[in-house]
């Protein structure tokens, strides 16, 4: 037996993209190797960002790889949809059936009746985009807008700065005021926390702005001048407008910088006159003097670094949140300072190294055929249950191919998704590692590899180090990687276009024409280019049409949006539809909450779900008492979309009027099989294609005995 150490990179949809090492025992029988077994997976101490630590999600990754519950063979459904009854079949039979059924759908309804559905379950480059786009492009299937996580942040920022680019989060080490705005760093981005602690040790003050008193908010130390600010969900824009009002009113602007690098200052200023801190206090539930002081601190404690990630985009006004927040550093000239500005996702820096044609491959191979329609993933429930696939023109969806995603648990308005998946005339294929809630509704389930079973490259979005991932072991059972899946599906469809069959090595070479791949393999990571002086807009190089920060924007006007930042209260919220609010007076958040969960991907594993307990609904003591609900009592939480039964947890983490149910549990873990997303709002953001999970109104009452 020989032992090897193999370098890899975590593939999860997580900002940290940690480096790991896998220890592999090669077992030999006679003279030839017969099996390789991964015996240890640990953080790689040399990795520049994660520095040897992984996390409670991935510390037991090999238990996931070798789980007895893994799907290791193709399966065909034998019971009713959702029953989880399957029989094992061969790959040949599975592919023959898929080819036949897809051709049948295409011949009868057209290729747009096929919907590919995926997200970032494995966010490595090959696993996420390489051959799927070519395959569905060749087919002419409907396209999918994948904007459930992230694109709205970029689309919002880009209206102000012309680009979604921002500061490398590690630059926050230089900040003296750090605002964590709508991000739960200690839970969701744990390897970034040491940078914040380092800045604090150097004298930085910390402000956390979140409607929930998260574990990140718990780190606030008021004795040191830190602050936790708790607005009502969906209202922060009002607070930002009042901050800008105070900054302008008190002459705290950097007029020279504004003159040199912005457009539309006067228009913005006129629009802000009415936005007194008192007015913002009424909208947000935050005291006017707190907002006033935050504005003054933001303008005077320098450099001021804002850190934000994804949480705040999940609102009806989610794009405007980011368009507006991007105006703050422009008023104070903050981008000119190292450690000033905004640190959001930094994926665009590493994506810049990928060949542009590779990134948008699904536009090729169309050969002059009309562009297929595009459907938004967040509307899956409506898409599957409508004759025209939602608001689009065109055929209903008759075939659904899912990989890298667990839509029944993660898409909003999930009971509509379930109703769609139950349709007898929908042919569903799911490529998965486990029999997820979604896979249980499939006609055919195909076994997927884990990250340690194939080579890939990870483009991180929480730091700048592109990560190499080497296969440590062979695919387990009959599982295959996402690229191999699409090569096999292309064969099953009878396609002959050679680019559909490129092997993984060729794909990696196509993706990175200018990168030394041998070096990447050898070292394990490569840092994407970033300005040496730490300032992404140090030269005022904004990418708007005007080359300036657009405080007033023609581009927004051209898409029917307000030219300047405005606060529009979410319709499904306290400032919105009054009749809806009278019926459903509580704002429901469904956050990422458990350190052992990564979205929906771990709750079913023995070291994860049971260790986090069971799902619950969190409620403030006042709201609970008003409903006669004691801690631990059974409650019914409902709105027009669904009704969910859960025990109550009385909590000091929320303001009155706000409730929370943790997201990530599967239906068998919920007492009545309805999960957090059964209740959530699938209204899209005003632009950017995102979705408003966190503008969800509910009512809560005791469960009848
Ligand atoms: N442990 C763990 N880590 C994860 C994940 C996980 O499931 N578990 N998921 C990964 C993924 S996919 C992502 S995208 C990242 C996300 O990373 P984050 O963006 O940091 O996480 P979220 O929980 O989506 O949202 C952050 C916070 O936004 C708050 N929020 C909601 N609405 C508002 C609002 O209107 N205003 C303000 N100010 N705050 C608001 C929520 O209460 C929440 O605490 O985390 C990644 N890391
Ligand atoms: N209520 C509520 N809903 C949310 C959120 C929230 O905060 N609240 N967050 C949203 C966000 S930010 C995100 S990113 C989404 C995440 O939603 P998903 O993208 O569905 O993320 P995961 O739950 O991680 O599920 C990914 C699935 O991919 C599978 N998988 C992993 N690797 C591979 C592979 O190589 N091949 C294949 N075929 N499959 C693989 C895993 O087994 C897992 O079942 O959820 C969103 N939904
Ligand atoms: S899930 Fe995130 S924190 Fe955990 S190992 Fe993967 S990249 Fe690191
Ligand atoms: Mo996400």
């Amino acid at each position: 037996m020989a032992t090897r150490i193999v370098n890899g990179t975590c593939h999860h949809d997580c900002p940290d993209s940690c480096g790991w090492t896998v220890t592999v025992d090669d077992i030999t029988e006679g003279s030839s190797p017969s099996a390789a077994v991964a015996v240890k997976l640990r953080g790689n101490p040399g990795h520049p960002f994660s520095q040897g630590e992984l996390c409670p999600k991935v510390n037991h990754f090999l238990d996931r790889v070798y789980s007895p519950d893994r799907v290791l063979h193709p399966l065909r459904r034998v019971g009713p949809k959702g029953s989880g009854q399957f029989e094992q079949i061969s790959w040949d039979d599975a592919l023959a059936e898929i080819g036949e059924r897809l051709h049948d759908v295409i011949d009868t309804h057209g290729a747009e009746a096929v919907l590919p559905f995926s997200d970032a379950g494995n966010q490595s480059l090959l696993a996420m985009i390489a051959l799927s786009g070519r395959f569905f492009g060749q087919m002419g299937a409907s396209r999918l807008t994948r904007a459930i996580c992230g694109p709205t942040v970029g689309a919002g920022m880009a209206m102000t700065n012309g680009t979604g680019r921002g500061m490398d989060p590690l630059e926050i080490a230089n900040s003296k005021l750090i605002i964590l705005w709508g991000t739960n760093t200690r839970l969701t981005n744990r390897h970034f926390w040491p940078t914040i602690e380092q800045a604090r040790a150097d004298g930085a003050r910390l402000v956390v702005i979140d409607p929930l008193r998260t574990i990140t908010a718990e780190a606030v130390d008021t004795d040191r001048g830190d602050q936790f600010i708790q607005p009502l969900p969906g209202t922060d824009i009002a607070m930002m407008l009042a901050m800008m009002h105070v900054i302008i009113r008190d002459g705290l602007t950097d007029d020279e910088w504004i003159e040199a690098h912005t457009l539309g200052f006067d228009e913005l200023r006129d629009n802000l006159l009415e936005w007194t801190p008192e007015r913002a206090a009424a909208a947000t539930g935050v005291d006017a003097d707190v907002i006033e002081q935050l504005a003054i601190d933001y303008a005077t404690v320098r450099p001021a670094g804002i850190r934000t990630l994804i949480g705040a985009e999940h609102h009806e006004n989610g794009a405007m949140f980011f368009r507006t927040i991007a105006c703050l550093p422009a008023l104070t000239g903050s981008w000119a300072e190292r450690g000033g500005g905004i640190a959001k996702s930094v994926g665009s820096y590493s994506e810049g190294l990928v060949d542009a044609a590779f990134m948008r491959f699904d536009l090729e191979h169309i050969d002059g055929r009309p562009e297929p329609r595009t459907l938004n993933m967040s509307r899956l429930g409506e898409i599957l249950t409508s004759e025209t696939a939602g608001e689009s023109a065109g055929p209903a969806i008759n075939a659904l191919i899912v990989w890298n995603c667990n839509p029944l648990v993660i898409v909003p308005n999930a009971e509509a998704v379930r109703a769609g998946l139950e349709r007898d005339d929908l042919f569903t294929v799911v490529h998965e590692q486990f029999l997820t809630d979604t896979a249980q509704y499939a006609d055919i389930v195909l076994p997927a590899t884990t990250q340690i079973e194939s080579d890939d490259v990870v483009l991180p979005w929480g730091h700048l180090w592109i990560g190499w991932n080497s296969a440590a072991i062979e695919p387990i059972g009959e599982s295959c990687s996402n690229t191999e899946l699409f090569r096999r599906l292309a064969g099953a469809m009878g396609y002959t276009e050679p680019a559909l069959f490129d092997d993984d090595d060729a794909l990696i070479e196509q993706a990175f024409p200018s990168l030394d791949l041998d070096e990447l393999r050898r070292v394990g990571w490569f840092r994407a280019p970033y300005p040496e002086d730490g300032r992404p807009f140090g030269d005022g190089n904004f990418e708007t049409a005007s080359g300036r920060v657009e405080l007033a924007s023609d581009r927004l006007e051209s898409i029917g949006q307000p030219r300047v930042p405005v606060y529009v209260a979410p319709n499904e919220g306290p400032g919105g539809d009054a009749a809806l609010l009278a019926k459903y007076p509580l704002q429901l958040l469904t956050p990422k909450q458990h350190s052992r969960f990564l979205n929906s991907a771990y709750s079913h594993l023995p070291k994860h779900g049971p260790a986090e307990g069971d799902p619950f609904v969190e409620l403030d003591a006042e709201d609970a008492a008003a409903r006669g609900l004691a801690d631990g009592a059974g409650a019914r939480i409902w709105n027009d979309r669904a009704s969910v039964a859960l025990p109550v947890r009385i909590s000091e983490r929320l303001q009155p009027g706000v409730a929370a149910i943790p997201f990530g549990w599967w239906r068998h873990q919920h007492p009545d099989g309805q999960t957090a997303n059964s209740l959530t709002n699938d209204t899209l953001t005003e632009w950017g294609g995102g979705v408003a999970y966190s503008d969800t109104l509910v009512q809560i009452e005791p469960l009848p005995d």
Side-chain angles (χ1 to χ4, degrees):
M1 191 177 74
T3 295
R4 293 179 280 136
I5 306 272
V6 179
N7 284 335
T9 303
C10 181
H11 62 294
H12 277 307
D13 190 356
C14 168
D16 294 4
S17 298
C18 299
W20 67 36
T21 59
V22 188
T23 309
V24 183
D25 285 349
D26 288 314
I27 300 158
T28 41
E29 266 171 30
S31 58
S32 59
S34 64
V37 181
V39 292
K40 206 195 285 181
L41 186 147
R42 293 284 182 271
N44 184 340
H47 191 271
F49 189 74
S50 54
Q51 302 190 350
E53 192 209 37
L54 296 175
C55 70
K57 294 148 276 178
V58 169
N59 283 338
H60 304 290
F61 194 72
L62 294 184
D63 292 351
R64 181 182 181 93
V65 173
Y66 292 113
S67 165
D69 295 335
R70 245 186 90 177
V71 176
L72 296 178
H73 306 281
L75 303 172
R76 178 196 283 133
R77 181 170 62 83
V78 291
K81 292 201 173 192
S83 66
Q85 294 163 19
F86 293 96
E87 62 178 358
Q88 184 178 327
I89 55 172
S90 68
W91 264 101
D92 284 347
D93 286 353
L95 290 171
E97 186 165 334
I98 292 168
E100 196 180 314
R101 295 287 299 265
L102 290 183
H103 275 302
D104 194 34
V105 166
I106 295 166
D107 293 346
T108 315
H109 307 282
E112 284 183 330
V114 180
L115 182 67
F117 199 96
S118 70
D119 204 39
N122 181 339
Q123 66 170 0
S124 313
L125 187 69
L126 297 192
M128 202 161 148
I129 61 167
L131 285 177
S132 52
R134 297 183 193 185
F135 173 74
F136 289 108
Q138 176 76 40
M139 182 183 284
S142 286
R143 295 221 177 106
L144 191 71
T145 300
R146 294 175 173 85
I148 221 158
C149 173
T152 307
V153 177
M157 293 260 183
M159 286 300 179
T160 302
N161 292 340
T163 166
R165 250 182 327 120
M167 181 175 27
D168 175 1
L170 293 184
E171 290 295 325
I172 293 262
N174 301 303
S175 307
K176 289 293 177 247
L177 184 76
I178 302 170
I179 305 184
L180 299 179
W181 204 323
T183 180
N184 188 1
T185 311
R186 286 175 74 203
L187 182 83
T188 60
N189 187 193
R190 55 186 286 132
H191 296 89
F192 176 50
W193 187 252
T195 303
I196 290 172
E197 287 295 11
Q198 181 197 329
R200 292 172 97 192
D202 292 343
R205 281 169 54 190
L206 178 66
V207 179
V208 176
I209 306 179
D210 198 304
L212 276 178
R213 185 181 293 275
T214 59
I215 56 164
T216 305
E218 294 291 349
V220 159
D221 179 354
T222 45
D223 291 343
R224 298 180 66 259
D226 295 345
Q227 215 178 350
F228 171 49
I229 299 176
Q230 197 168 20
L232 289 171
T235 65
D236 306 62
I237 297 164
M239 184 149 68
M240 295 171 197
L241 296 178
M243 285 172 72
M244 294 196 279
H245 170 102
V246 171
I247 289 169
I248 295 172
R249 183 198 69 194
D250 291 2
L252 300 174
T253 47
D254 181 337
D255 295 339
E256 234 169 83
W257 201 91
I258 290 173
E259 175 68 29
H261 298 299
T262 72
L263 185 78
F265 175 76
D266 293 349
E267 206 176 325
L268 174 70
R269 183 196 53 209
D270 294 349
N271 191 61
L272 292 171
L273 288 176
E274 305 289 314
W275 274 103
T276 60
E278 289 70 25
R279 182 170 170 197
T284 57
V286 176
D287 288 347
D289 54 350
V290 169
I291 298 174
E292 180 132 0
Q293 192 59 46
L294 177 65
I296 293 167
D297 289 347
Y298 179 71
T300 58
V301 183
R302 308 289 286 264
I306 297 175
R307 168 61 166 172
T308 182
L309 265 182
I310 308 298
E313 84 166 29
H314 289 147
H315 290 279
E316 292 173 22
N317 55 18
M320 185 60 99
F321 177 104
F322 291 96
R323 187 276 193 270
T324 308
I325 207 170
C327 295
L328 284 168
L331 293 190
T332 58
S334 185
W335 288 116
E337 297 161 318
R338 189 159 197 171
I342 301 179
K344 54 172 280 286
S345 309
V346 285
S348 53
Y349 291 100
S350 46
E351 278 164 26
L353 291 168
V354 182
D355 177 66
F358 189 91
M359 285 300 265
R360 51 178 163 74
F361 223 115
D362 67 345
L363 300 184
E364 307 216 346
H365 301 294
I366 299 294
D367 304 331
R369 283 179 282 164
E371 284 280 300
R373 67 181 169 186
T374 301
L375 304 173
N376 190 303
M377 66 185 299
S378 296
R379 305 290 300 192
L380 183 63
E382 181 196 40
I383 287 167
L384 292 181
T385 51
S386 128
E387 288 295 309
T388 56
E391 286 167 13
S392 83
I397 296 302
N398 286 82
L400 177 71
I401 317 287
V402 181
W403 74 104
N404 254 2
C405 195
N406 185 8
L408 187 48
V409 181
I410 70 95
V411 166
N413 195 9
E415 291 314 308
V417 176
R418 190 194 311 279
L421 292 175
E422 276 170 352
R423 274 175 43 204
D424 278 334
D425 59 343
L426 178 73
F427 177 63
T428 303
V429 178
V430 177
H431 182 237
E432 249 300 349
Q433 297 163 351
F434 292 92
L435 272 184
T436 60
D437 284 5
T438 309
Q440 304 231 2
Y441 284 82
D443 295 283
I444 302 277
V445 181
L446 298 171
T449 46
T450 69
Q451 183 74 342
I452 68 166
E453 294 158 61
S454 63
D455 287 354
D456 217 323
V457 178
V458 177
L459 303 182
W461 47 278
H463 59 76
L464 298 172
W465 285 278
I466 290 175
W468 174 256
N469 183 72
S470 276
I473 56 172
E474 292 294 312
I476 297 188
E478 292 185 278
S479 65
C480 76
S481 68
N482 296 2
T483 44
E484 180 59 18
L485 168 75
F486 288 103
R487 286 187 285 264
R488 291 183 189 183
L489 290 179
M493 293 301 290
Y495 297 152
T496 53
E497 162 64 50
L500 300 174
F501 300 93
D502 284 344
D503 68 24
D504 289 359
D505 286 343
L507 289 167
I508 291 174
E509 273 172 32
Q510 289 163 25
F512 296 105
S514 60
L515 215 59
D516 182 342
L517 291 171
D518 291 336
E519 177 81 354
L520 178 63
R521 281 191 186 91
R522 195 178 56 74
V523 179
W525 46 81
F526 176 84
R527 190 172 184 269
Y530 179 82
E532 257 173 48
D533 68 0
R535 303 174 308 154
F537 303 113
D539 310 328
N541 44 336
F542 295 95
E543 291 171 32
T544 49
S546 63
R548 291 162 169 262
V549 175
E550 297 196 342
L551 302 171
S553 159
D554 289 345
R555 205 170 140 214
L556 271 174
E557 192 173 25
S558 75
I559 60 162
Q561 294 292 331
R563 292 171 54 77
V564 287
V566 296
Y567 170 58
V568 179
N571 184 56
E572 190 163 333
D577 182 333
L580 198 64
L581 185 71
K583 238 166 118 185
Y584 305 119
L586 297 168
Q587 288 183 276
L588 179 75
L589 294 173
T590 52
K592 304 166 178 85
Q593 179 150 326
H594 299 308
S595 66
R596 296 176 185 82
F597 288 13
L598 195 287
N599 302 322
S600 76
Y602 281 93
S603 57
H604 62 109
L605 291 175
K607 288 187 179 146
H608 299 254
E612 297 288 4
D614 288 306
F616 49 83
V617 59
E618 268 180 284
L619 209 53
D620 163 75
E622 203 177 288
D623 288 325
R627 290 165 175 77
L629 284 161
D631 196 57
R636 182 169 92 91
I637 307 99
W638 85 99
N639 57 23
D640 288 343
R641 289 180 283 268
S643 168
V644 177
L646 283 173
V648 168
R649 182 179 285 186
I650 293 183
S651 160
E652 292 180 351
R653 303 197 321 141
L654 329 136
Q655 299 276 33
V658 182
I661 300 175
F663 141 79
W665 299 91
W666 294 9
R667 60 179 176 157
H668 69 272
Q669 294 159 324
H670 269 262
D672 59 358
Q674 316 260 305
T675 66
N677 273 323
S678 300
L679 293 162
T680 51
N681 183 356
D682 60 355
T683 302
L684 298 183
T685 54
E686 68 289 55
W687 77 91
V691 73
Y693 293 100
S694 303
D695 295 327
T696 291
L697 289 175
V698 294
Q699 180 55 294
I700 302 186
E701 66 179 14
L703 268 185
D705 293 329

